[in-house]
Structures are given as C-alpha cells and as structure tokens.
C-alpha cells in the first residue's frame, strides 16, 4: 500500500508540474518583458511553444514509451522537463527562454500521459474511481493555480523562480522513482511504429496549434494564417487515411467506438475552453484595468482554484451514484451562472467576482472529476495509454482554443472601445465654449491618454478662468469614466457572447448522457 501510494505521488507530481507550466507564466510576462527589454507580443512565443509542442508530441512519444518501457521513459521525461526548467530560469534572452520552454514541453509530452496511464494502472479496473479522481483533480487544479503561484513568486522572488520551483519536485520524483519503479519492462508486441501516422499527427497538431496561438498576431485572414489552416486540414485528412489503412495505427480506432470516450473528449475540450476563458482574462483585467499588482491580480483566481479542489473529488466519487448526466449538466449550469455574473456586475465588484469565480470553479470541478473517469472507460493496456494521450492532447487544444477565441475577441473589443471613446472625446470637447486651439490640444491629449491607458489626474487649472476650467474638468472626468466603462464592457461582452454557447453545451450534455457509467 505504501509503495503504491508513493508511486501515485510520482504521477501526481508529474501531472501537476506539466499542467502548472501551461499557465504559470501569464502573470509574470510584464516582468520578463522588462528583464529582456522586449514587447509582450514577442513573449507570446515563450508561452505558446510549450502548448504547441506539448500537444503535438504527446501521442507519438507515448507510443515510443509503450515500446521501450513506460517507467524508463517517464523518468527520462522528468529529466528533460527539469533541464528545460533550468534553461528557462537561467535564460538571459528571449531566444534562450523559448528554447528552454521547448525542452520543457518535450518532457511534458512524455510525463503527462504516462503519469495518467501508470497512475490508473496502479489499481484494478473496479477500483479506478478514486485514483482517477485524484489525477483529474490535479489536472484542473494545477492549470487554475498557475496564475496564483506565478503571481506570488513574481511578487516575492523573481520570475525565474516560476521555473526553478520545478527542480526540487523533479529531483524528489527521480529519487523515489529510481527506488520504486520497474525499469525492466519492455513491450515486445510494439515492434513497428506507425511512422506516417506519427508524422502526420505531429504536422497536423503543429500547424493547428501554431495558427491558433499566432493567428491574432499574424491576422486571421493573412496569407500565413490561411496557409497554416490549409495545411492543418491536409495533414488531418492524411492522418485519417493512414490510420484507417494501418494495421498498427498511432491511435487505435477502437477508442472511437466507445460512446463515453467520444462524449468525454468533447467535454474535455469545452470545459477547458470555458475555464481558461476566466483564468486567462481575469488577471489581465485586474492588472491592466484595475491596476492591481501581480500578486493581488492572481489572488482573484483563488476562488476558482479552491472550488475546483473541493468539488473534483466529490464529483469523482459521486459518479457511480448519480451518473454523468446530473453531474456534468449541473457543472455546466454553474459555469453558465458564473458567466452571466461576469457579463453583468462581476467585473465591477471584487466580492461578486469571487462569488462568480467560485461558481465556475465548482462547475468545472463537477465536470473534471467524472470526465476523467469516463475518459478512461474500461480500457486497459494500449487502449488505456492511447485514451490518456488523446485526452491530454484535447485538453491542450481546449486551452489553445480558449486563448485564440477569448484573446482575439478581447483585442477586437478593446479596439472598438477605443474608437467609441475617441468619438466621445470629440463630441464632448466640441461642445465646450473654449478657443479652437484649446479644443484641439484637449482632444489630442485625451486621445493619447486613452490609447496609452493613462488614468492619472489632470491639472485642475487650464485657462485660469474658473468657470471655463470647471467645465473642462467636468468633461475630462466624463471622458475618463466613459473610456473606463468602454474597456470594462469590452471584457463583459466576451462573456455575454460565450453564454449562448455554454447553454447549448449544457443542453447537449443533458441529452447525450443517457445512462450511468
């Protein structure tokens, strides 16, 4: 029992650090940008390269592990992840940081799916629920905790420690892993690799995730984006053709004959999409709009993570008694309520924000516990490892989709808000009874302030005439209030647009799950 629990600790640690590093950098980006004297847009590669390679390499590297021994390969994965973390923490420039993150992602592509498979294999099929619930909780919790941990470390240490904290965990895992894991296992049945299937899966996921992460920067209708979309479709079709004809496909097609696995795959993507829509944008909102420091902004995610932690194990164990329909439907219902709250008054009041964040965290917790159990189904051996690889990829795709959709929507909304604010400036200043030159100066300075998002107080005196200055100050205050309100509405409208899609997801979930698992 003690050996089994220690092995489970290894796999929980693996899942935790892999998922943590998908989001831990977000809050630290401004400080990293200052260190390297580079724009935040350039830093996006340090974030995106991790997700792109993680998603692209998970399935083929899992197949390699099946052949040469999962225990050996997961330890290799931890070593690679640790090396990547060390390089990232010691980096003295953007290129080295991106390189370090790429090395990390290769390690994560090995560690994450193998941690899930080996963890589930620790117990018999009829006793899986508890272990899977623990592993499922770790996934959602680590991703949601990323901004919180990143904010605390950035505030009290330096951004470099968001990578260095991985090192003691890796060393701890290697020490107990070398003592507990069996490194003699080799699967002689896996002789021939599906080389073409592997190649097309990598190319498909590379092109898809790259365009999703970089499409906003390139422009969604730019030639580069369209080419990546075209090639992702070509590679996907090629992958399907190869897999159908292959005697030993990269992804066993039996997986997709299981209705529960198909349903869980869709839910994994959508639940992560709607969760990341909150955990990515809230720190951005509180940092850039409310001007909170990194620590304070990251604490606004705590209610989300707390309720994921509370509800995930409860839902995992309740699955057998209630069935998936009730848990998943109620989970999405709570997320709908949370989104409605953020679309209305959630961003105007910190207490309301915490309440709605708690609802979304609770909703996600109700979903992620059972969906991890359902995704594993009754699979064993090759099917089990393949199911966990596919689920891991889909989780990353959900995260990437969320960033692509919500961040693109935010930039579009902010641009529209800026135009509205600038038009309002012209309207208000034009109505002032002041000289033409003074109007031009006031309009110019007000528009500059809106574009630079400066909210510092303006001098009370402008012309020396008390009555005129009073009118000018009143207009300036109205301009500031309107500009801020337009920015807040830019965030709110994202959640308003998402609500109908969440409701459709809720309805489909209720209709799809017909029986208990």
């Amino acid at each position: 029992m003690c050996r089994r629990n220690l092995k489970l600790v290894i796999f929980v640690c693996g899942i935790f650090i892999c998922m943590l590093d998908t989001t831990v950098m977000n809050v630290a980006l401004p400080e990293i940008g200052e260190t390297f004297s580079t724009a935040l847009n350039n830093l996006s590669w340090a974030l995106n390269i991790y997700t792109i390679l993680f998603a692209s390499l998970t399935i083929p590297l899992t197949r390699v592990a099946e052949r040469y021994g999962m225990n050996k390969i997961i330890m290799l994965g931890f070593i690679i992840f640790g090396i990547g973390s060390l390089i990232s923490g010691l980096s003295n420039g953007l290129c080295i940081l991106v390189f370090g993150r790429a090395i990390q992602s290769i390690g994560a592509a090995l560690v994450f799916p193998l941690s899930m498979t080996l963890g589930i294999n620790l117990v018999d099929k009829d006793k899986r629920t508890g272990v899977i619930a623990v592993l499922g909780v770790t996934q959602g919790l680590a991703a949601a905790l990323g901004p919180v941990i990143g904010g605390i470390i950035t505030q009290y240490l330096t951004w470099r420690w968001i990578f260095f904290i991985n090192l003691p965990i890796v060393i701890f895992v290697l020490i107990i892993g070398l003592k507990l894991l069996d490194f003699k296992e080799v699967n002689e049945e896996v002789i021939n690799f599906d080389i073409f299937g592997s190649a097309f899966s990598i190319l498909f996921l590379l092109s898809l995730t790259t365009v999703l992460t970089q499409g906003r920067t390139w422009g969604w209708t730019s030639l580069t984006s369209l080419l990546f979309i075209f090639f992702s479709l070509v590679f996907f079709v090629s992958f399907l053709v190869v897999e159908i004809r292959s005697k030993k496909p990269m992804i066993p097609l039996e997986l997709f004959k299981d209705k529960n696995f198909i349903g869980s795959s869709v839910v994994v993507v959508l639940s992560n999409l709607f969760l990341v829509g909150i955990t990515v944008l809230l720190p951005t909102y509180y940092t850039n709009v409310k001007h909170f420091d990194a620590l304070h902004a990251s604490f606004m995610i705590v209610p989300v993570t707390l309720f994921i932690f509370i509800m995930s194990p409860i839902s995992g164990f309740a699955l057998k008694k209630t069935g998936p329909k009730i848990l998943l439907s109620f989970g999405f219902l709570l997320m709908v309520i949370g989104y409605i709250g953020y679309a209305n008054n959630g961003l105007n009041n910190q207490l309301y924000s915490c309440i709605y964040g708690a609802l979304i965290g609770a909703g996600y917790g109700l979903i992620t516990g059972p969906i991890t159990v359902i995704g594993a189904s009754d699979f064993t051996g090759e099917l089990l490892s393949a199911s966990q690889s596919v689920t891991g990829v889909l989780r990353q795709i959900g995260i990437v989709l969320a960033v692509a959709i919500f961040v693109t929507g935010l930039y579009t909304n902010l641009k529209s808000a800026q135009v509205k604010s600038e038009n309002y400036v012209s309207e208000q200043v034009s109505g002032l009874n002041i000289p033409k030159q003074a109007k031009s100066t006031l309009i110019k300075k007000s528009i500059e302030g809106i574009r630079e998002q400066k909210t510092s107080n303006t001098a009370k005196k402008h012309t020396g005439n008390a009555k005129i200055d009073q009118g000018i100050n009143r207009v300036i205050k109205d301009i500031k209030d309107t500009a801020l309100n337009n920015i807040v509405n830019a965030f709110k409208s994202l959640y308003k647009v998402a609500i109908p899609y969440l409701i459709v997801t809720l309805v489909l979930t209720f209709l799809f799950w017909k029986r208990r698992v």
Side-chain angles (χ1 to χ4, degrees):
M1 179 68 72
C2 182
R3 289 177 65 86
R4 191 185 72 182
N5 289 341
L6 282 174
K7 287 181 181 180
L8 182 60
V9 169
I10 293 174
F11 307 137
V12 167
C13 287
I15 291 169
F16 185 82
I17 58 175
C18 290
M19 294 308 298
L20 180 73
D21 276 62
T22 60
T23 56
V24 74
M25 273 186 66
N26 293 350
V27 176
L29 286 179
E31 186 173 324
I32 298 173
E34 288 181 13
T35 302
F36 295 155
S37 300
T38 188
L40 291 182
N41 274 346
N42 297 330
L43 284 174
S44 65
W45 273 110
L47 280 175
N48 297 334
I49 194 68
Y50 183 87
T51 306
I52 290 170
L53 293 181
F54 190 172
S56 303
L57 299 177
T58 292
I59 294 173
L61 289 182
T62 303
R63 296 293 287 168
V64 172
E66 289 175 358
R67 172 65 179 86
Y68 294 102
M70 291 190 181
N71 289 329
K72 288 196 292 284
I73 298 299
I74 195 173
M75 288 293 103
L76 176 62
F78 275 111
I79 292 170
I80 293 172
F81 190 89
I83 291 171
S85 299
L86 183 62
I87 293 172
S88 299
L90 295 174
S91 58
N92 58 0
L94 179 59
C95 291
I96 302 298
L97 177 60
V98 172
F99 175 71
R101 290 283 285 171
I103 299 298
Q104 266 192 313
S105 66
I106 296 171
L110 288 167
V111 171
F112 179 82
L114 298 183
S115 293
M116 288 296 300
T117 302
L118 292 169
I120 293 170
N121 278 332
L122 286 175
V123 295
D124 296 332
K125 281 196 298 183
D126 58 345
K127 298 178 181 178
R128 281 181 173 180
T129 301
V131 170
I132 295 177
V134 170
L135 299 175
V137 170
T138 305
Q139 292 179 42
L141 190 63
L145 269 176
V148 179
I149 294 175
I152 294 171
I153 291 174
T154 302
Q155 184 78 14
Y156 292 108
L157 298 171
T158 72
W159 63 266
R160 298 183 185 278
W161 281 93
I162 64 178
F163 303 111
F164 290 153
I165 59 168
N166 293 324
L167 299 179
I169 298 175
V170 169
I171 293 169
F172 167 75
V173 164
L174 290 175
I175 291 172
I176 62 173
L178 290 172
K179 291 183 177 181
L180 295 177
L181 299 181
D182 175 17
F183 298 110
K184 295 179 181 179
E185 94 285 21
V186 176
N187 189 351
E188 299 292 349
E189 295 179 4
V190 183
I191 300 173
N192 297 317
F193 291 108
D194 182 7
I195 296 175
F196 289 107
S198 176
F200 284 128
S201 73
I202 292 172
L203 291 171
F204 161 61
L205 290 167
L206 272 174
S207 54
L208 176 65
T209 51
T210 300
V211 74
L212 287 175
T213 54
Q214 298 300 124
R216 183 190 60 80
T217 304
W218 293 338
W220 292 106
T221 57
S222 68
L223 179 61
T224 304
S225 293
L226 293 176
L227 281 174
F228 269 82
I229 292 170
F230 171 74
F231 284 122
S232 66
L233 291 172
V234 170
F235 292 137
F236 179 64
V237 173
S238 302
F239 173 73
L240 289 179
V241 171
V242 168
E243 293 300 278
I244 290 171
R245 296 181 177 180
S246 176
K247 293 181 180 179
K248 200 72 175 177
M250 180 61 54
I251 302 175
L253 300 181
E254 295 97 305
L255 284 178
F256 301 99
K257 295 177 182 179
D258 190 295
K259 178 184 174 183
N260 285 329
F261 178 76
I262 294 173
S264 68
S265 297
V266 175
V267 172
V268 163
V269 174
L270 293 176
S271 60
N272 279 278
L273 189 156
F274 291 118
L275 174 70
V276 174
I278 296 295
T279 58
V280 166
L281 292 190
L282 274 190
T284 301
Y285 173 78
Y286 283 108
T287 302
N288 297 329
V289 179
K290 293 296 188 179
H291 303 290
F292 289 2
D293 58 37
L295 181 63
H296 194 175
S298 67
F299 278 166
M300 298 307 297
I301 304 297
V302 168
V304 180
T305 59
L306 177 62
F307 276 83
I308 290 175
F309 180 75
I310 292 171
M311 299 306 298
S312 294
I314 294 174
S315 63
F317 288 110
L319 180 61
K320 288 290 184 182
K321 294 184 177 181
T322 63
K325 178 185 286 190
I326 294 176
L327 288 173
L328 300 182
S329 299
F330 191 58
F332 277 115
L333 176 62
L334 290 178
M335 294 185 85
V336 168
I337 296 170
Y339 265 70
I340 291 173
Y342 279 118
N344 290 281
N345 60 358
L347 297 178
N348 300 110
N349 183 288
Q350 290 184 57
L351 176 60
Y352 290 150
S353 179
C354 290
I355 292 172
Y356 300 135
L359 288 173
I360 289 171
Y364 182 83
L366 286 175
I367 294 166
T368 194
I371 213 62
T372 309
V373 177
I374 296 167
S377 192
D378 291 323
F379 299 138
T380 58
E382 183 181 305
L383 285 177
L384 177 60
S385 60
S387 72
Q388 296 312 301
S389 297
V390 172
T391 301
V393 170
L394 292 174
R395 191 177 297 277
Q396 294 305 307
I397 288 176
I399 293 171
V400 172
L401 273 173
V403 173
I405 293 170
F406 283 95
V407 173
T408 298
L410 177 61
Y411 273 80
T412 302
N413 289 354
L414 288 176
K415 195 166 187 179
S416 175
Q418 180 180 310
V419 171
K420 286 174 64 177
S421 298
E422 290 177 3
N423 291 337
Y424 184 80
V425 167
S426 299
E427 292 173 7
Q428 294 300 305
V429 175
S430 296
L432 287 172
N433 185 23
I434 59 176
K436 188 175 182 180
Q437 182 62 38
K439 287 183 180 181
S440 299
T441 301
L442 187 55
I443 289 174
K444 180 182 177 182
K445 288 186 176 181
S446 296
I447 290 176
E448 286 176 355
I450 289 169
R451 291 178 179 175
E452 296 173 9
Q453 295 187 0
K454 290 181 178 178
T455 58
S456 56
N457 291 328
T458 307
K460 298 293 184 182
K461 295 183 179 179
H462 303 280
T463 65
N465 185 305
K467 188 174 182 180
I468 294 176
D469 286 348
Q470 186 178 7
I472 292 174
N473 287 327
R474 185 173 61 252
V475 168
I476 290 175
K477 184 179 183 304
D478 288 343
I479 289 171
K480 287 181 178 179
D481 291 344
T482 300
L484 179 60
N485 189 54
N486 287 338
I487 292 173
V488 173
N489 286 334
F491 282 84
K492 286 182 177 180
S493 64
L494 288 173
Y495 300 122
K496 287 179 181 177
V497 171
I499 290 168
Y501 296 98
L502 253 174
I503 292 173
V504 170
T505 302
L506 167 62
V507 173
L508 292 177
T509 300
F510 186 77
L511 294 175
F512 180 83
W513 301 102
K514 297 293 185 184
R515 60 183 178 85
R516 296 183 179 184
V517 294

